[in-house]
Short mmCIF file of all heavy atoms in Angstrom, two decimals:
data_model
loop_
_atom_site.label_atom_id
_atom_site.label_comp_id
_atom_site.label_asym_id
_atom_site.label_seq_id
_atom_site.Cartn_x
_atom_site.Cartn_y
_atom_site.Cartn_z
N GLN A 239 -2.73 17.95 39.69
CA GLN A 239 -1.32 17.39 39.76
C GLN A 239 -0.81 17.54 41.17
O GLN A 239 -1.06 18.49 41.90
CB GLN A 239 -0.39 18.15 38.74
CG GLN A 239 -0.97 18.12 37.37
CD GLN A 239 -0.34 19.26 36.58
OE1 GLN A 239 0.81 19.24 36.16
NE2 GLN A 239 -1.12 20.32 36.30
N LYS A 240 0.09 16.63 41.57
CA LYS A 240 0.76 16.67 42.84
C LYS A 240 2.21 16.88 42.67
O LYS A 240 2.78 16.36 41.75
CB LYS A 240 0.46 15.37 43.55
CG LYS A 240 -0.90 15.26 44.14
CD LYS A 240 -1.15 13.95 44.74
CE LYS A 240 -0.33 13.60 46.01
NZ LYS A 240 -0.61 12.30 46.55
N LEU A 241 2.78 17.69 43.54
CA LEU A 241 4.19 18.01 43.53
C LEU A 241 4.95 16.70 43.89
O LEU A 241 4.80 16.14 44.95
CB LEU A 241 4.56 19.09 44.49
CG LEU A 241 6.02 19.59 44.42
CD1 LEU A 241 6.36 20.18 43.07
CD2 LEU A 241 6.26 20.62 45.56
N ALA A 242 5.83 16.21 42.95
CA ALA A 242 6.56 15.02 43.22
C ALA A 242 7.99 15.31 43.63
O ALA A 242 8.67 14.47 44.23
CB ALA A 242 6.56 14.17 41.96
N GLY A 243 8.46 16.49 43.28
CA GLY A 243 9.82 16.81 43.75
C GLY A 243 10.17 18.24 43.20
O GLY A 243 9.53 18.67 42.23
N GLN A 244 11.07 18.86 43.88
CA GLN A 244 11.52 20.13 43.38
C GLN A 244 13.05 20.38 43.66
O GLN A 244 13.58 19.81 44.61
CB GLN A 244 10.70 21.33 43.96
CG GLN A 244 10.69 21.45 45.43
CD GLN A 244 9.79 22.63 45.84
OE1 GLN A 244 9.80 23.66 45.29
NE2 GLN A 244 9.07 22.43 46.97
N ALA A 245 13.65 21.19 42.84
CA ALA A 245 15.09 21.44 43.02
C ALA A 245 15.19 22.95 42.67
O ALA A 245 14.43 23.54 41.95
CB ALA A 245 15.93 20.61 42.07
N SER A 246 16.20 23.59 43.44
CA SER A 246 16.41 24.97 43.08
C SER A 246 17.94 25.27 43.24
O SER A 246 18.69 24.56 43.81
CB SER A 246 15.58 25.80 44.05
OG SER A 246 15.83 25.58 45.37
N GLY A 247 18.32 26.40 42.76
CA GLY A 247 19.66 26.86 42.91
C GLY A 247 19.83 28.29 42.48
O GLY A 247 18.82 28.93 42.08
N VAL A 248 21.02 28.76 42.55
CA VAL A 248 21.37 30.14 42.05
C VAL A 248 22.46 29.96 41.08
O VAL A 248 23.55 29.48 41.44
CB VAL A 248 21.77 31.07 43.26
CG1 VAL A 248 22.18 32.38 42.74
CG2 VAL A 248 20.57 31.28 44.22
N TRP A 249 22.22 30.37 39.83
CA TRP A 249 23.24 30.50 38.82
C TRP A 249 24.17 31.61 39.09
O TRP A 249 23.66 32.68 39.55
CB TRP A 249 22.72 30.69 37.41
CG TRP A 249 23.68 30.76 36.36
CD1 TRP A 249 24.20 29.71 35.67
CD2 TRP A 249 24.41 31.93 35.91
NE1 TRP A 249 25.18 30.19 34.76
CE2 TRP A 249 25.32 31.55 34.88
CE3 TRP A 249 24.36 33.27 36.30
CZ2 TRP A 249 26.23 32.50 34.29
CZ3 TRP A 249 25.17 34.21 35.66
CH2 TRP A 249 26.08 33.85 34.66
N PRO A 250 25.54 31.58 39.03
CA PRO A 250 26.32 30.46 38.47
C PRO A 250 26.82 29.40 39.54
O PRO A 250 27.51 28.52 39.15
CB PRO A 250 27.50 31.22 37.83
CG PRO A 250 27.73 32.35 38.77
CD PRO A 250 26.34 32.80 39.28
N ARG A 251 26.38 29.61 40.80
CA ARG A 251 26.88 28.71 41.81
C ARG A 251 26.40 27.29 41.54
O ARG A 251 27.06 26.31 41.79
CB ARG A 251 26.43 29.22 43.18
CG ARG A 251 26.91 30.55 43.60
CD ARG A 251 26.90 30.73 45.11
NE ARG A 251 25.57 30.50 45.70
CZ ARG A 251 24.71 31.51 45.89
NH1 ARG A 251 25.03 32.77 45.59
NH2 ARG A 251 23.54 31.30 46.46
N LYS A 252 25.24 27.12 41.05
CA LYS A 252 24.62 25.85 40.80
C LYS A 252 23.95 25.83 39.44
O LYS A 252 23.13 26.74 39.17
CB LYS A 252 23.68 25.48 41.91
CG LYS A 252 23.15 24.01 41.85
CD LYS A 252 22.16 23.75 43.02
CE LYS A 252 21.62 22.37 42.88
NZ LYS A 252 20.61 22.00 43.90
N SER A 253 24.28 24.86 38.62
CA SER A 253 23.68 24.92 37.28
C SER A 253 23.22 23.54 36.86
O SER A 253 23.12 23.26 35.65
CB SER A 253 24.75 25.53 36.31
OG SER A 253 25.92 24.77 36.35
N SER A 254 22.95 22.67 37.76
CA SER A 254 22.41 21.40 37.39
C SER A 254 21.57 20.85 38.54
O SER A 254 21.74 21.30 39.70
CB SER A 254 23.40 20.42 36.89
OG SER A 254 24.31 20.09 37.97
N PHE A 255 20.76 19.85 38.30
CA PHE A 255 20.02 19.18 39.32
C PHE A 255 19.64 17.76 38.92
O PHE A 255 19.69 17.44 37.73
CB PHE A 255 18.75 19.98 39.70
CG PHE A 255 17.71 19.87 38.63
CD1 PHE A 255 16.73 18.89 38.61
CD2 PHE A 255 17.65 20.78 37.58
CE1 PHE A 255 15.82 18.76 37.66
CE2 PHE A 255 16.72 20.68 36.58
CZ PHE A 255 15.79 19.66 36.57
N ALA A 256 19.35 16.97 39.86
CA ALA A 256 18.91 15.62 39.57
C ALA A 256 17.87 15.23 40.68
O ALA A 256 18.23 15.34 41.85
CB ALA A 256 19.98 14.65 39.52
N LEU A 257 16.70 14.83 40.28
CA LEU A 257 15.69 14.52 41.30
C LEU A 257 15.23 13.09 41.01
O LEU A 257 15.01 12.65 39.87
CB LEU A 257 14.39 15.38 41.06
CG LEU A 257 14.52 16.88 41.46
CD1 LEU A 257 13.28 17.58 40.96
CD2 LEU A 257 14.46 16.89 43.02
N THR A 258 15.07 12.34 42.06
CA THR A 258 14.43 10.98 41.92
C THR A 258 13.05 11.05 42.34
O THR A 258 12.71 11.44 43.52
CB THR A 258 15.20 9.91 42.72
OG1 THR A 258 16.54 10.00 42.34
CG2 THR A 258 14.65 8.58 42.52
N VAL A 259 12.16 10.78 41.50
CA VAL A 259 10.68 10.88 41.81
C VAL A 259 10.03 9.50 41.58
O VAL A 259 10.47 8.69 40.77
CB VAL A 259 9.94 11.93 41.00
CG1 VAL A 259 10.48 13.33 41.33
CG2 VAL A 259 10.18 11.69 39.44
N THR A 260 8.95 9.25 42.32
CA THR A 260 8.25 8.05 42.22
C THR A 260 6.89 8.23 41.48
O THR A 260 6.16 9.16 41.88
CB THR A 260 7.98 7.41 43.61
OG1 THR A 260 9.24 7.32 44.25
CG2 THR A 260 7.34 6.06 43.52
N SER A 261 6.65 7.51 40.47
CA SER A 261 5.42 7.74 39.69
C SER A 261 4.20 7.25 40.44
O SER A 261 4.20 6.13 41.00
CB SER A 261 5.54 6.98 38.33
OG SER A 261 4.27 7.01 37.68
N PRO A 262 3.13 8.03 40.37
CA PRO A 262 1.91 7.53 40.93
C PRO A 262 1.10 6.68 39.98
O PRO A 262 -0.06 6.30 40.21
CB PRO A 262 1.15 8.84 41.29
CG PRO A 262 1.58 9.78 40.22
CD PRO A 262 3.01 9.40 39.93
N GLY A 263 1.71 6.42 38.79
CA GLY A 263 0.98 5.69 37.80
C GLY A 263 0.32 6.70 36.79
O GLY A 263 -0.83 6.69 36.63
N GLY A 264 1.17 7.56 36.25
CA GLY A 264 0.59 8.55 35.36
C GLY A 264 1.59 9.31 34.57
O GLY A 264 2.55 8.72 34.07
N TYR A 265 1.49 10.70 34.59
CA TYR A 265 2.32 11.41 33.78
C TYR A 265 3.13 12.50 34.59
O TYR A 265 2.71 12.87 35.68
CB TYR A 265 1.45 12.11 32.73
CG TYR A 265 0.68 11.14 31.92
CD1 TYR A 265 -0.61 10.85 32.36
CD2 TYR A 265 1.11 10.48 30.85
CE1 TYR A 265 -1.42 9.89 31.66
CE2 TYR A 265 0.39 9.60 30.10
CZ TYR A 265 -0.87 9.28 30.59
OH TYR A 265 -1.62 8.31 29.88
N PHE A 266 4.20 12.94 33.98
CA PHE A 266 5.05 13.99 34.69
C PHE A 266 4.93 15.23 33.96
O PHE A 266 4.90 15.27 32.68
CB PHE A 266 6.49 13.52 34.87
CG PHE A 266 6.69 12.51 35.86
CD1 PHE A 266 7.05 11.24 35.56
CD2 PHE A 266 6.42 12.79 37.24
CE1 PHE A 266 7.22 10.30 36.59
CE2 PHE A 266 6.66 11.86 38.20
CZ PHE A 266 7.07 10.58 37.88
N ARG A 267 4.91 16.32 34.66
CA ARG A 267 4.98 17.66 34.06
C ARG A 267 5.97 18.53 34.87
O ARG A 267 6.07 18.38 36.05
CB ARG A 267 3.54 18.21 34.26
CG ARG A 267 3.38 19.68 33.85
CD ARG A 267 1.98 20.18 34.11
NE ARG A 267 1.92 21.59 33.92
CZ ARG A 267 0.84 22.20 33.34
NH1 ARG A 267 -0.18 21.50 32.96
NH2 ARG A 267 0.85 23.51 33.23
N ILE A 268 6.78 19.36 34.21
CA ILE A 268 7.76 20.10 34.84
C ILE A 268 7.46 21.62 34.64
O ILE A 268 7.18 22.02 33.57
CB ILE A 268 9.17 19.79 34.19
CG1 ILE A 268 9.42 18.31 34.24
CG2 ILE A 268 10.28 20.56 34.88
CD1 ILE A 268 10.71 17.90 33.57
N GLU A 269 7.62 22.27 35.77
CA GLU A 269 7.48 23.76 35.74
C GLU A 269 8.81 24.38 36.24
O GLU A 269 9.54 23.73 36.93
CB GLU A 269 6.42 24.14 36.75
CG GLU A 269 5.07 23.53 36.63
CD GLU A 269 4.18 24.20 35.66
OE1 GLU A 269 4.59 25.27 35.20
OE2 GLU A 269 3.10 23.70 35.43
N HIS A 270 9.09 25.53 35.71
CA HIS A 270 10.31 26.21 36.22
C HIS A 270 9.96 27.71 36.40
O HIS A 270 9.19 28.32 35.67
CB HIS A 270 11.49 26.00 35.31
CG HIS A 270 11.22 26.24 33.83
ND1 HIS A 270 11.63 25.40 32.87
CD2 HIS A 270 10.64 27.22 33.13
CE1 HIS A 270 11.30 25.82 31.69
NE2 HIS A 270 10.70 26.96 31.83
N LEU A 271 10.58 28.23 37.41
CA LEU A 271 10.40 29.68 37.76
C LEU A 271 11.78 30.23 38.04
O LEU A 271 12.70 29.56 38.50
CB LEU A 271 9.58 29.81 38.93
CG LEU A 271 8.09 29.35 38.87
CD1 LEU A 271 7.44 29.38 40.23
CD2 LEU A 271 7.30 30.22 37.85
N CYS A 272 11.95 31.53 37.72
CA CYS A 272 13.31 32.15 37.93
C CYS A 272 13.11 33.55 38.48
O CYS A 272 12.10 34.17 38.20
CB CYS A 272 14.05 32.20 36.60
SG CYS A 272 14.70 30.66 36.04
N THR A 273 14.15 34.01 39.12
CA THR A 273 14.20 35.42 39.54
C THR A 273 15.62 35.99 39.22
O THR A 273 16.54 35.25 39.03
CB THR A 273 14.02 35.49 41.16
OG1 THR A 273 15.02 34.74 41.74
CG2 THR A 273 12.68 35.06 41.51
N GLY A 274 15.63 37.29 39.20
CA GLY A 274 16.88 37.97 38.92
C GLY A 274 16.73 38.71 37.52
O GLY A 274 15.92 38.28 36.72
N ASP A 275 17.57 39.70 37.41
CA ASP A 275 17.45 40.56 36.23
C ASP A 275 17.61 39.83 34.95
O ASP A 275 17.10 40.16 33.90
CB ASP A 275 18.44 41.74 36.34
CG ASP A 275 17.82 42.89 36.99
OD1 ASP A 275 16.84 42.67 37.77
OD2 ASP A 275 18.33 44.05 36.83
N LEU A 276 18.49 38.81 34.92
CA LEU A 276 18.80 38.08 33.71
C LEU A 276 17.99 36.76 33.60
O LEU A 276 18.40 35.87 32.86
CB LEU A 276 20.26 37.74 33.63
CG LEU A 276 21.18 39.02 33.71
CD1 LEU A 276 22.64 38.63 33.42
CD2 LEU A 276 20.77 40.09 32.71
N ALA A 277 16.89 36.68 34.32
CA ALA A 277 16.15 35.43 34.21
C ALA A 277 15.66 35.09 32.79
O ALA A 277 15.53 33.92 32.45
CB ALA A 277 14.83 35.53 35.08
N ASP A 278 15.49 36.18 31.95
CA ASP A 278 15.10 35.96 30.56
C ASP A 278 16.16 35.18 29.79
O ASP A 278 15.95 34.66 28.72
CB ASP A 278 14.91 37.32 29.87
CG ASP A 278 13.50 37.78 30.00
OD1 ASP A 278 12.64 36.99 30.41
OD2 ASP A 278 13.22 38.94 29.66
N ARG A 279 17.38 35.28 30.29
CA ARG A 279 18.48 34.70 29.52
C ARG A 279 18.97 33.36 30.06
O ARG A 279 19.97 32.83 29.71
CB ARG A 279 19.67 35.66 29.44
CG ARG A 279 19.27 36.93 28.74
CD ARG A 279 20.39 37.87 28.65
NE ARG A 279 19.96 39.27 28.89
CZ ARG A 279 20.77 40.22 28.97
NH1 ARG A 279 22.08 40.08 28.81
NH2 ARG A 279 20.30 41.42 29.20
#
Side-chain angles (χ1 to χ4, degrees):
Chain A
Q239 306 160 74
K240 284 173 67 177
L241 185 65
Q244 61 181 318
S246 57
V248 174
W249 179 91
R251 298 201 302 268
K252 187 178 177 186
S253 54
S254 64
F255 71 91
L257 287 168
T258 302
V259 293
T260 304
S261 171
Y265 305 92
F266 286 114
R267 172 182 173 142
I268 303 177
E269 306 273 357
H270 48 226
L271 296 171
C272 287
T273 57
D275 271 22
L276 300 188
D278 271 348
R279 297 182 221 174

